[in-house]
Amino acid sequence: MASECPSLNPPPPPPPDISAAHPTEQNEPKVMYTQLSKSASSRRRSLSSVETFSFNAALRASSKSERLERSRSKPLASYPSKRSDSERLGSQRDITDDEARFVYVNDPERSNQPVKFPDNSIKTTKYSIITFLPRNLFEQFHRVALVYFLILAGLNQIPQLGVFSPVASVLPLAFVLGVTAVKDGYEDWRRHRSDRIENNREAQVLAPGGEFRPKPWKDVLVGEVVRVTANETLPCDMVLLATSDPTGVAYVQTINLDGESNLKTRYAKQETQSTPPQNVTGLIRCEKPNRNIYGFLATVEVQGCKRVSLGPSNIILRGCELKNTSWIVGVAVYTGQDTKVMLNSSGAPSKRSRLEVQMNREVLLLAAALVALCSIVTILAGVWLTDHRDDLGILPYYRKNEFSGTDVDSYDYYGVGLETVFSFLKAVILFQVMIPIALYISMELVRLGQAFFMIQDKGMFDEGTKTKFQCRALNINEDLGQIKYVFSDKTGTLTENKMEFRCASVRGVDYSGTSRGDEEARSISVNGETWRPKTSVKIDPEMMSALKGEKGTEKAIYARDFFLALATCNTMVPILVDTPEPSQKLVDYQGESPDEQALVYAAAAYGFMLVERTSGHIVIDILGERRRFDVLGLHEFDSDRKRMSVIIGCPDGTVKLFVKGADNSMFGIIPKDIDSDIIHATETNLHAYSSLGLRTLVIGMRELSRNEFEEWQAAYEKASTAVIGRGKLLRAIALNVERDIQLLGASGIEDKLQQGVPEAIESLRQAGIKLWVLTGDKQETAISIGFSCKLLTSEMTQIVINSTSKISCKKSLQDAASMCSRLKVLTPDPENRWTAGTASARVPLALIIDGTSLVHILETDLEDELFKVATICDVVLCCRVAPLQKAGIVALIKNRTDDMTLAIGDGANDVSMIQMADVGIGISGQEGRQAVMASDFSMGQFRFLVPLLLVHGHWNYQRMAYMTLYNLYRNSVFVFILFWFVLCTAYSLTSAINDWSSVLYSVIYTALPTIIVGILDKDVSKDTLLKYPQLYMAGQRDESYNLKLFILTMVDSIWQSVVVFYIPYLAYRHSIVDGSSLGDLLILAVVLVVNIHLAMDVFEWNWITHVSIWGCIVATIICVIVIDCLWMLPGYWAIFHVMGTGLFWLCLLGIIVAAMVPRFATKALREYFMPSDIQIARELEKFQSSNAATTSEIPMSTFSQI
């Protein structure tokens, strides 16, 4: 045991965070994974040739050996963390009894007294059988429109106000509520089924007899000891007690919790690791349940020992999956609804589309029009009643008295005052469809159909990752057609986030020559098997020569130390991957950082292959010779230090500290007066690497003396076991030991651009979309990538702001504003600079600003200055920015303009930016799935943004805008027909159109065609939209939906209603045709008019569109005939009284012509004399041959008028 886990190693502090600065998502191959180190015996057998040196044995002779013997090393699997700050703050306080939960290990009965904790069952459902109906109705009536229709349906039930029959008045509202209830009920039934399956899964729980027995997850209690085996999911939040690894290490995958598929490392305390589970007793004093999945604060007292602190590295949360570990044993501390995954189960805030918000304006105008119509009818009715008060006793509508009996009674009349009030209420009921209730359902169905076609688009399918486009938010599809600003992350979004080691500088010597060649991946032999790295790396022959000592001993020493640092200063776990050849094995390095992964593969390529890792030691094959190094301690990366370090006990008895980190952090701990030439040469090489777009790290080393190590050891042990201020103490110890570092060199890692990024950026630029890149990389690296992806061009004037104080920031912004003003004088047309076929003399501008400057600008009075400068510039590039600064930049535009914003990223550090923007898009990349889970849409590559916005976004906006206007127009025509009829019938609020036709008008007669057109219609083809990105600007200018269009549409609806009503009225006013027959003619006429109106505006016809439009007209005729054939309904046989006459058909023809001619003429004149860009593009598609279309330029009128 001592040889496997050196006793000198200190216990680890809980890592503040388990995420890397650049976490990576590994796609698990379809082969069986096995850990290189399966057991202690297999390690000794397979790696028998390892040169072993126990650093502990060398120090046991010291006077402090007894003190040092009490601790063991467990390094932290945490590299560059962005969440460490929050945990460090948490570790600086103790838990009071009021804040604490007391968990007695292996004693669930005592743990659940006096208050019983929730059991381990989960509930994600919203309803039960009893609560479904009331709760669902309560939620639906949060929509004001439904409350409005409910009130009107209730008023219609009052006999004095009954305009429609009671059933017909309730049917539309009942239909809407019923459809929504069925949808909600089905979704909740699926959640019930999922919960039932989850709660009945089996867990192995320690029984009183000392054996583990199966038990349903829902019955697991706090305090019970649970055993989990490899590839199983954890049933609850558990504190680790023991693992199959003798050193207490376990590997888990948290993809079900935070979406990240890379492996995380967890540890069991040595106080419980060596004790059989049935004998473990003790008290865990932990914080109460909370949502922080990256923090855990607790202490444990085991079997009367001193209190030991617990942290995030000692707890595994529900939903995590055990990987590369045979088994673990833990005690349940949070169960069921108290688990962190359940506390974090709430979704992202719902977003509303811009068009839907704008529609509220039109709804208010329609409501005002409704009140106006009702007021007109009410006033006229009051006047009429006053004028005819002497005749009311004999008029059919207002008979004052009833003469059917022996006594004369008051009958159906309540006086002029009340009758006038009743007139207003009945008018509201009659004209209620002015606000279309069917529009809300139509919008949901259209968005669902649009989402289906976006998901099925093969042009947005990523072949590399087999990732489909995902539509996670159905209510903002149309916003994709109006985007003005795109805020993008760089790493993993514009680039692949698949790092490749390209070059290195060792002691100032640059190894990045052109002589690099493709050498076969280095391999080693283990028990007759050949192991080689899964990923090969190009090597530099000069570097290899330096390693082998061919060019000097000193060079070889430093080169070996450099690659030894790359192989040791990391948290990568070597995993064996089987191949079709049984004797061939691949070594796959898994961990949280793609940067680390690239460096470890590079070290393996140069002969320093990491082959085994435990919590106490690592084994490295160095140029064919296997050696073991004791891991004595590790200081994880944090955002303050911006570096990580590891203390290694070497086989020769020396103790070395290896450090790697960002250059601005590392050069601060390297003495400037020593090796100044080497430092200067390294800085020159770093600048050259950054200029090539490479990511850089600086590597250093320090050899610790015995006294220095013992001093660090004592402080480290004390800080690691501290309950209060543990994070602060550990950070201070790291800062103390990371000093006087000897510079070993620097590395350059290439993060390649994704396929099609330059072309995508150019297309977005031509579409009038401004792209801002927000990255945490160095300025030089970001600028180089900017040029590579054509974000920056040589013609651009760069405005660089790198300030360290508010005063200097203000001065820089003022200078930038002055420069922008001078350059802007060259042309007053800033929007025209990227359009094709224009001769603009304006110099394009690029603003480049760093995170330090943003610290002094954001949330201060300088924000307005930054806004003015940034919006003038064509490109904005923000470097070294923190996640919250990304969100602040998005808010800078969102809060000051009406322009639509879109944020796209792939990592956890992009979540705040994605949620802040109007539209958030997550890239399914190498940094987990947190960005995807927080997004509205997700896809596999940045280049898919072009078809998403320019094609689907354009179509979605155009379709939804037209569908909204059409629905408002369709109902307006119908209401005004009823209004004209009321004016001709003594303002009596009767309707010629029967109740059922009024109900079916918005459900069957006219609903389906608008939904079909909203899903399938295409104003311009996909190829044309991609060829001419400028067409996208139509959405930015609100061309398809604006107040002017709404007013014109309403005017058109009034004209058409006049034609539909007054032509039959004038034709039949002296005839004996009754009101029901006239009503049948009116309903057929209005259905014909609105459907032909829709047909005139259809851009692309297909058989589905034909069936929906003409089929609805046929369905209307059939329904009218069927209704009139029912003897129990009013208007029996009415349609047959007029259908057989020629005047009926002549009226229909005259109505269609008179209603459509003004619209047709206006449409033709506008398209001929004032064509829009879309109309010109359509004409080009129709009348030009394919060869001419590829060479001609479109003279789009609006481009020259912008």
Side-chain angles (χ1 to χ4, degrees):
M1 183 73 179
S3 63
E4 292 296 320
C5 181
S7 59
L8 276 175
N9 298 334
D17 177 55
I18 57 175
S19 75
H22 303 284
T24 178
E25 176 181 325
Q26 299 291 337
N27 294 321
E28 189 169 336
K30 296 180 180 179
V31 292
M32 182 180 69
Y33 276 51
T34 55
Q35 190 179 4
L36 289 182
S37 173
K38 297 178 182 177
S39 65
S41 59
S42 65
R43 281 196 300 270
R44 285 192 292 270
R45 181 173 61 253
S46 63
L47 302 174
S48 57
S49 60
V50 175
E51 181 181 334
T52 304
F53 175 83
S54 177
F55 185 77
N56 305 320
L59 283 179
R60 277 187 187 138
S62 68
S63 59
K64 300 182 180 181
S65 61
E66 292 183 2
R67 173 174 58 81
L68 298 176
E69 178 68 17
R70 290 194 297 267
S71 63
R72 297 178 186 271
S73 161
K74 301 177 199 67
L76 310 179
S78 175
Y79 173 71
S81 163
K82 300 183 195 67
R83 298 180 281 252
S84 56
D85 295 337
S86 61
E87 198 282 328
R88 284 200 303 271
L89 292 174
S91 68
Q92 295 177 26
R93 63 180 183 88
D94 199 2
I95 312 174
T96 65
D97 288 345
D98 293 337
E99 298 174 324
R101 165 178 285 196
F102 296 92
V103 179
Y104 294 90
V105 181
N106 216 353
D107 192 350
E109 199 171 317
R110 190 177 177 189
S111 298
N112 286 272
Q113 291 179 355
V115 179
K116 181 176 174 55
F117 298 125
D119 61 23
N120 200 39
S121 62
I122 63 167
K123 181 182 177 183
T124 60
T125 58
K126 295 170 61 178
Y127 313 110
S128 65
I129 295 178
I130 298 175
T131 64
F132 172 73
L133 189 60
R135 182 171 180 179
N136 185 263
L137 290 176
F138 176 77
E139 290 178 351
Q140 289 198 59
F141 281 114
H142 275 75
R143 302 179 77 168
V144 179
L146 295 182
V147 176
Y148 162 77
F149 285 104
L150 177 65
I151 294 173
L152 295 182
L155 290 175
N156 191 78
Q157 308 308 309
I158 301 173
Q160 291 80 4
L161 304 179
V163 176
F164 303 111
S165 67
V167 175
S169 64
V170 174
L171 189 60
L173 180 62
F175 176 76
V176 173
L177 295 176
V179 170
T180 306
V182 169
K183 176 181 73 71
D184 293 343
Y186 174 70
E187 291 176 353
D188 204 60
W189 174 79
R190 293 180 62 185
R191 286 191 288 265
H192 269 287
R193 184 178 61 180
S194 176
D195 289 348
R196 186 167 58 251
I197 295 172
E198 183 81 359
N199 290 329
N200 287 299
R201 295 174 68 176
E202 288 189 345
Q204 297 294 321
V205 178
L206 186 64
E211 295 182 356
F212 287 96
R213 295 178 182 174
K215 190 176 186 180
W217 277 22
K218 63 183 179 181
D219 296 332
V220 175
L221 300 176
V222 171
E224 286 188 320
V225 175
V226 181
R227 187 176 188 267
V228 180
T229 56
N231 299 317
E232 287 186 347
T233 303
L234 271 75
C236 57
D237 294 353
M238 296 167 32
V239 167
L240 265 182
L241 298 177
T243 76
S244 57
D245 190 290
T247 59
V249 66
Y251 300 99
V252 295
Q253 194 176 61
T254 60
I255 190 169
N256 294 327
L257 188 65
D258 58 13
E260 298 181 4
S261 62
N262 36 47
L263 295 181
K264 313 290 193 306
T265 315
R266 296 292 182 267
Y267 303 96
K269 288 291 184 180
Q270 289 300 312
E271 286 78 3
T272 59
Q273 170 70 24
S274 56
T275 307
Q278 60 270 23
N279 297 335
V280 176
T281 58
L283 171 64
I284 295 177
R285 193 165 172 267
C286 60
E287 58 190 350
K288 289 185 177 179
N290 57 71
R291 300 177 63 183
N292 183 9
I293 63 175
Y294 305 114
F296 179 64
L297 186 61
T299 60
V300 59
E301 297 178 14
V302 181
Q303 299 170 343
C305 297
K306 68 176 183 179
R307 190 167 60 172
V308 180
S309 62
L310 298 174
S313 64
N314 307 119
I315 187 173
I316 307 181
L317 306 183
R318 178 180 181 136
C320 294
E321 205 171 315
L322 188 65
K323 294 290 185 181
N324 302 311
T325 307
S326 299
W327 54 264
I328 61 170
V329 173
V331 58
V333 290
Y334 304 125
T335 54
Q337 300 298 128
D338 284 347
T339 56
K340 293 182 183 288
V341 66
M342 292 304 298
L343 293 175
N344 283 277
S345 60
S346 59
S350 178
K351 297 179 181 179
R352 296 182 64 195
S353 73
R354 179 179 180 177
L355 189 145
E356 192 171 346
V357 173
Q358 290 175 333
M359 190 180 73
N360 290 337
R361 175 190 62 197
E362 279 67 51
V363 170
L364 290 176
L365 292 175
L366 289 175
L370 175 63
V371 172
L373 293 179
C374 295
S375 299
I376 292 172
V377 170
T378 302
I379 294 171
L380 294 176
V383 172
W384 190 91
L385 286 173
T386 303
D387 292 343
H388 296 80
R389 57 182 176 273
D390 297 332
D391 303 324
L392 296 180
I394 58 175
L395 292 177
Y397 299 118
Y398 295 99
R399 284 186 295 161
K400 281 185 178 182
N401 302 315
E402 180 183 10
F403 300 99
S404 59
T406 56
D407 299 325
V408 178
D409 298 324
S410 176
Y411 180 79
D412 205 15
Y413 181 76
Y414 301 90
V416 174
L418 281 178
E419 290 294 338
T420 303
V421 173
F422 291 162
S423 295
F424 182 85
L425 295 176
K426 288 194 286 186
V428 173
I429 296 173
L430 183 64
F431 303 148
Q432 61 180 297
V433 292
M434 178 68 84
I435 300 175
I437 187 173
L439 175 59
Y440 295 99
I441 289 183
S442 298
M443 292 178 75
E444 297 300 322
L445 294 175
V446 167
R447 285 166 176 161
L448 187 63
Q450 291 173 351
F452 172 79
F453 285 106
M454 287 192 290
I455 293 171
Q456 297 301 317
D457 188 350
K458 294 182 179 179
M460 294 192 294
F461 178 76
D462 186 14
E463 291 288 348
T465 60
K466 303 299 180 184
T467 303
K468 277 187 176 183
F469 176 84
Q470 293 183 22
C471 186
R472 303 173 59 84
L474 291 176
N475 53 342
I476 57 173
N477 292 352
E478 57 270 25
D479 283 349
L480 294 170
Q482 295 184 281
I483 300 300
K484 182 67 176 178
Y485 287 89
V486 170
F487 301 89
S488 174
D489 178 39
K490 183 187 74 66
T491 303
T493 304
L494 300 179
T495 61
E496 293 182 351
N497 200 20
K498 294 179 180 178
M499 311 303 175
E500 181 180 346
F501 181 85
R502 300 296 297 170
C503 54
S505 170
V506 179
R507 296 293 288 177
V509 179
D510 177 25
Y511 295 96
S512 59
T514 57
S515 59
R516 294 160 54 83
D518 292 302
E519 181 172 309
E520 293 185 3
R522 182 173 294 275
S523 61
I524 61 174
S525 178
V526 178
N527 289 341
E529 294 180 344
T530 300
W531 294 0
R532 58 184 177 85
K534 184 179 178 182
T535 302
S536 59
V537 177
K538 294 180 181 180
I539 65 170
D540 189 325
E542 294 184 9
M543 174 71 80
M544 186 58 72
S545 299
L547 275 173
K548 295 179 179 179
E550 296 178 4
K551 293 190 177 181
T553 305
E554 185 176 343
K555 259 189 183 179
I557 292 174
Y558 285 128
R560 290 190 175 208
D561 284 339
F562 177 81
F563 283 104
L564 183 61
L566 299 187
T568 58
C569 192
N570 60 75
T571 57
M572 288 290 115
V573 179
I575 304 295
L576 272 190
V577 182
D578 292 332
T579 65
E581 195 66 38
S583 61
Q584 300 283 335
K585 303 290 183 183
L586 297 180
V587 180
D588 182 19
Y589 295 111
Q590 289 197 7
E592 302 175 25
S593 167
D595 294 85
E596 277 193 349
Q597 191 178 48
L599 294 177
V600 174
Y601 275 120
Y606 281 95
F608 289 71
M609 185 186 295
L610 175 65
V611 294
E612 179 182 347
R613 175 182 293 280
T614 71
S615 61
H617 72 268
I618 55 177
V619 175
I620 302 175
D621 185 285
I622 301 178
L623 299 174
E625 184 180 355
R626 238 152 288 151
R627 296 185 182 180
R628 165 179 161 152
F629 296 84
D630 292 334
V631 180
L632 305 176
L634 184 146
H635 293 285
E636 76 280 359
F637 181 96
D638 64 56
S639 57
D640 294 330
R641 292 163 41 246
K642 296 183 180 178
R643 57 182 179 268
M644 71 168 293
S645 61
V646 61
I647 298 178
I648 296 295
C650 300
D652 59 3
T654 59
V655 179
K656 292 182 178 179
L657 170 74
F658 292 108
V659 191
K660 71 177 179 185
D663 55 354
N664 55 357
S665 169
M666 290 294 293
F667 284 126
I669 59 174
I670 297 174
K672 300 290 185 182
D673 54 343
I674 303 176
D675 300 330
S676 58
D677 293 340
I678 294 175
I679 293 175
H680 178 71
T682 303
E683 289 176 333
T684 302
N685 294 335
L686 283 170
H687 182 76
Y689 298 164
S690 298
S691 300
L692 294 173
L694 302 182
R695 300 162 62 88
T696 58
L697 284 174
V698 175
I699 291 90
M701 181 193 75
R702 178 188 173 200
E703 188 169 329
L704 301 180
S705 66
R706 182 185 299 271
N707 291 335
E708 288 173 329
F709 172 73
E710 291 175 353
E711 181 182 348
W712 170 86
Q713 172 77 25
Y716 191 75
E717 179 182 2
K718 183 178 179 180
S720 299
T721 56
V723 177
I724 302 175
R726 180 173 58 221
K728 185 176 181 180
L729 292 172
L730 287 168
R731 192 165 65 255
I733 293 169
L735 291 172
N736 182 59
V737 74
E738 293 169 352
R739 56 183 171 83
D740 301 330
I741 300 299
Q742 182 184 27
L743 177 63
L744 289 178
S747 64
I749 301 173
E750 181 182 12
D751 188 6
K752 294 183 178 179
L753 282 178
Q754 291 183 12
Q755 178 185 351
V757 167
E759 295 80 3
I761 291 176
E762 183 60 29
S763 294
L764 295 177
R765 178 178 287 155
Q766 293 181 23
I769 298 174
K770 290 187 176 182
L771 178 63
W772 293 19
V773 175
L774 318 177
T775 178
D777 279 348
K778 290 180 59 178
Q779 183 170 296
E780 294 84 357
T781 303
I783 291 175
S784 176
I785 294 294
F787 278 106
S788 300
C789 67
K790 295 184 180 179
L791 177 71
L792 302 175
T793 64
S794 56
E795 294 81 15
M796 285 184 177
T797 298
Q798 295 182 11
I799 301 174
V800 181
I801 299 179
N802 294 330
S803 302
T804 57
S805 67
K806 186 175 180 179
I807 296 175
S808 59
C809 284
K810 185 175 183 180
K811 177 71 165 55
S812 298
L813 288 172
Q814 290 174 346
D815 294 342
S818 176
M819 178 185 293
C820 292
S821 299
R822 290 197 304 271
L823 294 175
K824 189 176 180 181
V825 174
L826 293 175
T827 176
D829 191 9
E831 292 287 341
N832 198 31
R833 58 190 174 274
W834 295 113
T835 56
T838 61
S840 175
R842 184 184 182 279
V843 178
L845 300 174
L847 174 63
I848 301 169
I849 188 169
D850 65 354
T852 305
S853 302
L854 291 174
V855 169
H856 303 290
I857 295 175
L858 295 179
E859 298 184 1
T860 69
D861 55 345
L862 296 180
E863 273 195 345
D864 291 331
E865 296 293 330
L866 176 61
F867 172 76
K868 292 175 183 176
V869 174
T871 50
I872 292 174
C873 293
D874 308 285
V875 171
V876 176
L877 182 60
C878 301
C879 315
R880 297 289 197 187
V881 290
L884 288 180
Q885 288 178 324
K886 292 184 177 183
I889 292 294
V890 177
L892 184 76
I893 297 298
K894 186 177 178 181
N895 297 337
R896 287 172 172 79
T897 70
D898 293 329
D899 295 327
M900 296 294 294
T901 59
L902 180 148
I904 180 170
D906 72 319
N909 58 332
D910 301 317
V911 168
S912 56
M913 172 180 72
I914 287 172
Q915 292 183 336
M916 175 61 70
D918 295 302
V919 178
I921 296 183
I923 298 289
S924 303
Q926 303 294 315
E927 295 197 20
R929 291 179 53 84
Q930 282 182 290
V932 170
M933 292 189 295
S935 65
D936 305 306
F937 306 93
S938 69
M939 53 191 183
Q941 296 281 325
F942 178 85
R943 71 177 187 273
F944 298 153
L945 198 61
V946 173
L948 177 64
L949 298 185
L950 272 57
V951 179
H952 291 286
H954 173 84
W955 284 342
N956 292 346
Y957 167 71
Q958 182 271 328
R959 294 162 175 168
M960 189 64 71
Y962 179 79
M963 192 200 73
T964 302
L965 283 175
Y966 177 80
N967 274 268
L968 300 179
Y969 145 81
R970 178 190 67 186
N971 285 35
S972 176
V973 172
F974 188 78
V975 168
F976 276 105
I977 291 174
L978 299 178
F979 177 72
W980 306 132
F981 185 83
V982 167
L983 296 183
C984 297
T985 54
Y987 321 106
S988 58
L989 278 306
T990 58
S991 173
I993 301 174
N994 65 66
D995 298 351
W996 289 103
S997 287
S998 298
V999 170
L1000 296 176
Y1001 175 76
S1002 298
V1003 179
I1004 294 179
Y1005 298 171
T1006 59
L1008 184 60
T1010 181
I1011 295 173
I1012 296 299
V1013 170
I1015 296 174
L1016 299 179
D1017 199 27
K1018 299 175 183 178
D1019 57 348
V1020 188
S1021 69
K1022 178 179 180 178
D1023 292 340
T1024 300
L1025 289 171
L1026 292 176
K1027 184 177 181 181
Y1028 303 105
Q1030 299 92 335
L1031 296 174
Y1032 183 79
M1033 295 181 186
Q1036 297 172 345
R1037 295 188 292 263
D1038 293 329
E1039 287 187 2
S1040 297
Y1041 190 91
N1042 52 58
L1043 185 59
K1044 179 181 177 182
L1045 273 178
F1046 170 74
I1047 294 173
L1048 291 175
T1049 301
M1050 291 300 103
V1051 171
D1052 191 22
S1053 69
I1054 294 173
W1055 163 254
Q1056 292 184 10
S1057 69
V1058 169
V1059 170
V1060 171
F1061 175 77
Y1062 279 102
I1063 287 180
Y1065 171 75
L1066 294 174
Y1068 287 102
R1069 63 177 176 167
H1070 298 303
S1071 70
I1072 60 173
V1073 170
D1074 61 357
S1076 297
S1077 298
L1078 181 64
D1080 289 341
L1081 175 57
L1082 292 178
I1083 191 66
L1084 290 174
V1086 71
V1087 169
L1088 281 169
V1089 167
V1090 298
N1091 278 289
I1092 292 174
H1093 177 110
L1094 177 64
M1096 285 178 59
D1097 293 334
V1098 172
F1099 292 107
E1100 184 176 88
W1101 285 89
N1102 52 59
W1103 70 268
I1104 300 178
T1105 307
H1106 278 291
V1107 169
S1108 65
I1109 293 179
W1110 313 124
C1112 278
I1113 294 176
V1114 173
T1116 302
I1117 297 173
I1118 294 173
C1119 288
V1120 170
I1121 293 174
V1122 170
I1123 291 172
D1124 282 357
C1125 288
L1126 300 176
W1127 58 268
M1128 73 286 298
L1129 295 179
Y1132 176 65
W1133 219 250
I1135 186 66
F1136 300 103
H1137 294 160
V1138 292
M1139 244 176 112
T1141 65
L1143 184 59
F1144 173 85
W1145 301 104
L1146 185 62
C1147 283
L1148 284 180
L1149 180 61
I1151 288 171
I1152 294 172
V1153 173
M1156 291 293 106
V1157 164
R1159 177 170 181 81
F1160 178 81
T1162 304
K1163 188 179 178 73
L1165 291 173
R1166 186 179 68 248
E1167 292 189 3
Y1168 187 81
F1169 292 105
M1170 295 179 293
S1172 67
D1173 298 342
I1174 302 298
Q1175 290 158 359
I1176 295 173
R1178 284 182 53 78
E1179 294 302 315
L1180 184 71
E1181 287 181 341
K1182 289 179 182 178
F1183 302 113
Q1184 289 191 353
S1185 64
S1186 58
N1187 291 335
T1190 57
T1191 57
S1192 63
E1193 295 289 337
I1194 299 182
M1196 296 186 178
S1197 59
T1198 56
F1199 292 163
S1200 60
Q1201 299 170 6
I1202 297 176

